[in-house]
């Protein structure tokens, strides 16, 4: 079974631009979570989607948004990029209907650099 | 107080030794606990999960959970150079969200 895929793998943007990142979960997985990883803050939860509904959101400004499509693929968008948004953005998928014991599997990530 | 805290590293162990990694969490309602391994420049990969108090073994890895003490640990037996990585403890704080510790970097000396 193919793993979680993320595109693009690398991205360079300038301040003020916006960016859209894409994630395709493992086949059959319906939950998609997004995380930001930086050296200073570690892995931080952005949001989680299940059946096209956002069920939880982390403590990030409104510039960070996401959505999920009917095929479970997900996108996240960051508007008005800031230097501090430079990070590895990770997508993780989980199989099921949101029990607390579900296991998340990570994609390879998108490395975003903001200049 | 951080939701998940891991023992500070880096941790250096000789090949063949046991590496012991510790993690504490603040939310008593946490249900599930995960250990991920992350090699430099790569994404986290799942090593183990544990839901019940006690020990859980998988090959050279043993996870231990003590909910009363809000403590979870990972032991790596017979450490190999390929085990050199950052180990992340993750806790399901509420449904649909994982909280991660800062990670402990392990170096296995050949």
């Amino acid at each position: 079974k193919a793993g979680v895929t993320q595109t693009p793998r690398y991205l360079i943007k300038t301040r003020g631009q916006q960016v859209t990142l894409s994630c395709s979960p493992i086949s059959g997985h319906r939950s998609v979570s997004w995380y930001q990883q930086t050296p200073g803050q570690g892995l931080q939860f952005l949001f989680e989607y299940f059946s096209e509904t956002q069920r939880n959101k982390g403590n990030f400004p409104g510039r960070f948004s996401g959505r999920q499509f009917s095929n479970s693929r997900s996108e996240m968008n960051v508007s008005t990029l800031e230097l501090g948004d430079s990070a590895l953005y990770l997508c993780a998928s989980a199989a099921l209907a949101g029990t607390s014991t579900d296991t998340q599997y990570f994609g390879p990530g998108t490395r975003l650099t903001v200049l | 107080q951080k939701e998940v805290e891991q023992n500070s590293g880096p941790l250096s162990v000789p090949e063949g030794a046991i590496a012991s990694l510790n993690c504490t969490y603040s939310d008593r309602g946490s249900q599930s606990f995960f250990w991920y391994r992350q090699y430099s420049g790569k994404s986290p990969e799942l090593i183990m999960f544990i839901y019940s108090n006690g020990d859980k073994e998988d090959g050279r890895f043993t996870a231990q959970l003590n909910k009363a003490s809000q403590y979870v640990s990972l032991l790596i037996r017979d450490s190999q150079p390929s085990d050199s990585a950052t180990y992340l403890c993750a806790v399901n704080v509420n449904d649909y969200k994982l909280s991660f510790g800062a990670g402990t970097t392990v170096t296995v000396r050949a």
Side-chain angles (χ1 to χ4, degrees):
Chain A
K1 193 182 271 192
V4 179
T5 58
Q6 293 187 244
T7 56
R9 294 292 310 280
Y10 302 91
L11 209 46
I12 299 175
K13 293 286 188 179
T14 56
R15 281 180 298 175
Q17 288 187 306
Q18 75 165 23
V19 66
T20 299
L21 311 181
S22 180
C23 171
S24 293
I26 293 171
S27 178
H29 284 197
R30 298 169 64 189
S31 168
V32 173
S33 298
W34 288 90
Y35 296 85
Q36 181 196 66
Q37 188 174 33
T38 59
Q41 298 297 319
L43 258 166
Q44 292 187 289
F45 173 77
L46 280 157
F47 25 67
E48 190 266 356
Y49 288 88
F50 180 83
S51 291
E52 303 178 65
T53 299
Q54 185 184 91
R55 299 192 297 188
N56 203 347
K57 187 177 191 303
N59 189 24
F60 279 82
R63 300 185 297 107
F64 292 82
S65 63
R67 59 177 175 170
Q68 187 181 34
F69 302 94
S70 58
N71 62 357
S72 295
R73 190 177 70 84
S74 177
E75 291 182 345
M76 69 163 282
N77 184 277
V78 187
S79 62
T80 318
L81 284 166
E82 301 177 359
L83 295 178
D85 297 333
S86 294
L88 179 66
Y89 289 88
L90 292 159
C91 166
S93 77
L96 56 78
T99 69
S100 61
T101 56
D102 207 7
T103 299
Q104 295 187 17
Y105 298 91
F106 284 87
T110 295
R111 174 74 63 184
L112 172 65
T113 301
V114 182
L115 303 176
Chain B
Q1 181 187 7
K2 291 185 179 179
E3 291 176 324
V4 181
E5 300 207 42
Q6 295 185 238
N7 53 326
S8 60
L11 180 64
S12 180
V13 298
E15 186 173 357
I18 295 175
S20 177
L21 306 173
N22 302 317
C23 174
T24 58
Y25 58 95
S26 60
D27 190 330
R28 284 196 170 274
S30 298
Q31 299 288 323
S32 48
F33 309 86
F34 305 85
W35 285 99
Y36 287 86
R37 176 177 62 198
Q38 187 173 26
Y39 292 113
S40 181
K42 302 294 185 182
S43 63
E45 59 178 321
L46 180 71
I47 299 175
M48 292 187 70
F49 58 84
I50 186 167
Y51 308 142
S52 304
N53 279 329
D55 295 359
K56 180 181 179 182
E57 187 174 315
D58 184 0
R60 296 185 295 108
F61 298 95
T62 299
Q64 300 172 317
L65 175 61
N66 183 326
K67 289 187 178 180
S69 301
Q70 296 174 240
Y71 173 92
V72 59
S73 67
L74 180 71
L75 299 178
I76 307 173
R77 293 186 303 280
D78 187 24
S79 296
Q80 302 297 308
S82 60
D83 295 325
S84 298
T86 296
Y87 291 80
L88 298 164
C89 172
V91 177
N92 186 293
V93 178
N94 56 35
D95 284 343
Y96 328 133
K97 171 189 173 184
L98 284 181
S99 285
F100 284 83
T104 300
T105 298
V106 174
T107 300
V108 180
R109 308 187 305 271

